[in-house]
Amino acid sequence: MTTTAPLYGWYGDDFTGATDTLAVLAQAGLRSMLFMGVPSAEALAAAGPLDAVGIAGAARAMPPEAMRAEMSAVGRFFEKLAPPVLHYKVCSTFDSAPHVGNIACGIQTLHPFVNNRWVPIVGGQPSLGRYCAFSNLFAAAGTGGAVHRIDRHPTMRQHPVTPMGEADLRLHLARQGLDGITALHYPLYDATNDTDTTTTVALDAALQALLAHGAAAHAMAPTLLDLTTPGQLATVGRLLWQQSQHARLLAVGSSAVAQALVAHWGKPASTATAPLAPANGPVLAWAGSLSPLTAAQVQAATAYHRIAVDAQRLCSDTAYAQGLQDALCAGLQSGQNVLAFTGPTDGAPLAAAASSTDVAQASADLITRVVQARAEHGAPLRRIGIAGGDTSSHAVQALQLLGLSYKTTVCPGVTLSSAHSADPSRHGLELMLKGGQMGGADLFERLLGTA
């Protein structure tokens, strides 16, 4: 691998998804680092030679104006770094809306910083139970759960911030302002591989026809790619890599973008996932997601002292927040694993009493104060788990970390990362960040490393 320009750059629109892409690349043997914001030249140099450079962001929870401000700086950074592929990593369920986490806005912001008209949008991730067929997205309800069309998914159809009311991703993104979307559907490439000349030529010709069609009408050419089986990854990856060799490419989608390129490069996981070692001291966990799956995970976490958090009071009552901090610290001081949660535990959906952004920020501030208090007490925390994309993003920002490197995988789609920090008490801190739809019921128990 080159020691100058990396092969791959990625921007994650939330921190949980950004760590999933980090895991895919690191497991393939690529030297990878995920930075917490655009790194300085000094921070980038200190990381050493890298094959893949990532930036974790919070665009998924932002209105368009804030997205453009954050992502323009990201685009300028990657334009200078010049990886052949720039991956705009979005949630595997594509949940977004015109007013928040607008994927079309993100594409339009990043695209001027590459020089390839084609914008492939990879629509599935079979490893997580996400399938895109004829442009329609389907998703499992939890790990190994029943598969639903996304607009009929029991959780995603009633997401408290970005409910999914349209399964055809072409229509979903067009409603956010992305014009001219074409599609390559999976029957065209289901059986193709780099040695299947007939089907490869047909697929390449179909792509060229799409790129030629409407070339004068659109400054970019977004194309939705189906993904229904792991066997299709290498074919998708070949298309992406082939086009990126002509001009630097913006690719959009979940970690399947990284999986596709890794499959094309012939770089499967270089080693088996290392087993998760037992935590060095008590574990702090925080469940900020309102999903029924996270509720089931909280219920199953019998090895923790569980503390229910009133989200409204956390945001508005300083004395209440201080009392929570004291209770969390007391539990950890006594050697207990502690799990605080802001959502219900009966599996019923619940809208937050305060705005989701306010709850996530208040949660992040409290987590940071607990981390600092334990360090000042001479017993710094060594492992933390956070459920909820917005909460994870705000918490990592509040902890003021420099970056994350891959440690191990807790379960599919859930990564344990190791923190890089100028603060010795936070350097090496192990962080599990997970979205509301990820993991099995025993996730928090697995985090302890004793299973």
Side-chain angles (χ1 to χ4, degrees):
M1 296 296 176
T2 179
T3 57
T4 53
L7 292 178
Y8 193 96
W10 82 100
Y11 168 80
D13 68 355
D14 74 1
F15 283 49
T16 61
T19 61
D20 184 45
T21 301
L22 170 67
V24 170
L25 297 166
Q27 286 175 324
L30 300 178
R31 299 166 295 183
S32 309
M33 178 72 76
L34 177 63
F35 292 94
M36 306 295 101
V38 175
S40 65
E42 294 76 16
L44 190 62
L50 294 172
D51 303 311
V53 175
I55 295 175
R60 186 180 173 196
M62 291 178 175
E65 183 176 354
M67 289 181 69
R68 282 188 284 268
E70 172 164 301
M71 297 177 74
S72 292
V74 169
R76 287 191 293 271
F77 169 78
F78 280 117
E79 183 179 37
K80 183 176 181 180
L81 198 62
V85 176
L86 171 56
H87 174 197
Y88 172 20
K89 198 281 175 195
V90 302
C91 183
S92 61
T93 52
F94 277 77
D95 53 304
S96 52
H99 67 286
V100 61
N102 185 319
I103 294 172
C105 174
I107 292 171
Q108 292 157 354
T109 302
L110 289 176
H111 187 256
F113 299 102
V114 300
N115 47 16
N116 197 314
R117 286 184 59 247
W118 190 45
V119 181
I121 304 169
V122 180
Q125 188 174 348
S127 64
L128 295 183
R130 312 292 191 250
Y131 312 97
C132 189
F134 299 101
S135 300
N136 280 262
L137 183 62
F138 299 79
T143 301
V147 175
H148 305 266
R149 203 173 70 189
I150 199 68
D151 58 339
R152 297 178 181 178
H153 191 281
T155 302
M156 301 315 302
R157 70 183 178 191
Q158 55 188 3
H159 190 283
V161 180
T162 50
M164 289 294 286
E166 175 56 65
D168 189 323
L169 293 179
R170 294 169 299 181
L171 299 178
H172 177 62
L173 296 176
R175 290 173 180 174
Q176 296 178 18
L178 188 62
D179 297 326
I181 308 173
T182 57
L184 284 174
H185 290 149
Y186 77 92
L188 186 61
Y189 55 84
D190 189 41
T192 64
N193 56 62
D194 288 340
T195 61
D196 187 345
T197 304
T198 302
T199 49
T200 296
V201 168
L203 179 59
D204 290 350
L207 175 57
Q208 291 306 315
L210 289 179
L211 291 173
H213 178 69
H218 301 288
M220 60 179 169
T223 301
L224 184 65
L225 303 177
D226 286 350
L227 191 56
T228 63
T229 69
Q232 296 162 355
L233 285 167
T235 299
V236 171
R238 182 185 67 82
L239 289 178
L240 271 57
W241 189 243
Q242 177 179 279
Q243 289 299 313
S244 75
Q245 300 309 288
H246 301 311
R248 288 184 297 107
L249 180 77
L250 174 64
V252 183
S254 68
S255 295
V257 172
Q259 291 174 336
L261 284 163
V262 164
H264 170 62
W265 291 331
K267 296 181 69 64
S270 56
T271 58
T273 300
L276 180 59
N280 181 18
V283 172
L284 171 65
W286 188 282
S289 167
L290 300 179
S291 80
L293 176 58
T294 298
Q297 292 165 341
V298 171
Q299 279 191 314
T302 57
Y304 292 77
H305 172 53
R306 289 170 289 189
I307 300 175
V309 177
D310 184 320
Q312 180 67 48
R313 293 186 66 191
L314 176 63
C315 295
S316 59
D317 187 335
T318 303
Y320 176 76
Q322 182 61 53
L324 276 174
Q325 178 181 330
D326 294 342
L328 291 168
C329 288
L332 294 166
Q333 175 63 24
S334 70
Q336 294 179 299
N337 303 306
V338 179
L339 168 58
F341 58 95
T342 59
T345 57
D346 58 4
L350 176 70
S355 82
S356 59
T357 300
D358 290 344
V359 174
Q361 186 62 64
S363 300
D365 291 343
L366 181 54
I367 292 167
T368 302
R369 292 199 301 273
V370 171
V371 170
Q372 185 63 29
R374 297 306 300 147
E376 291 174 354
H377 198 270
L381 291 169
R382 305 317 305 155
R383 185 174 295 174
I384 297 175
I386 304 174
D390 292 351
T391 306
S392 295
S393 296
H394 284 289
V396 174
Q397 289 172 326
L399 287 167
Q400 297 183 324
L401 304 179
L402 299 176
L404 297 175
S405 56
Y406 174 74
K407 185 83 174 182
T408 189
T409 296
V410 182
C411 64
V414 182
T415 299
L416 188 73
S417 302
S418 181
H420 296 254
S421 175
D423 183 339
S425 70
R426 299 180 188 182
H427 188 75
L429 173 66
E430 296 173 345
L431 283 172
M432 180 197 79
L433 309 174
K434 78 123 197 152
Q437 298 305 305
M438 298 299 173
D442 64 346
L443 179 69
F444 288 117
E445 299 289 308
R446 284 176 173 267
L447 179 60
L448 300 177
T450 56

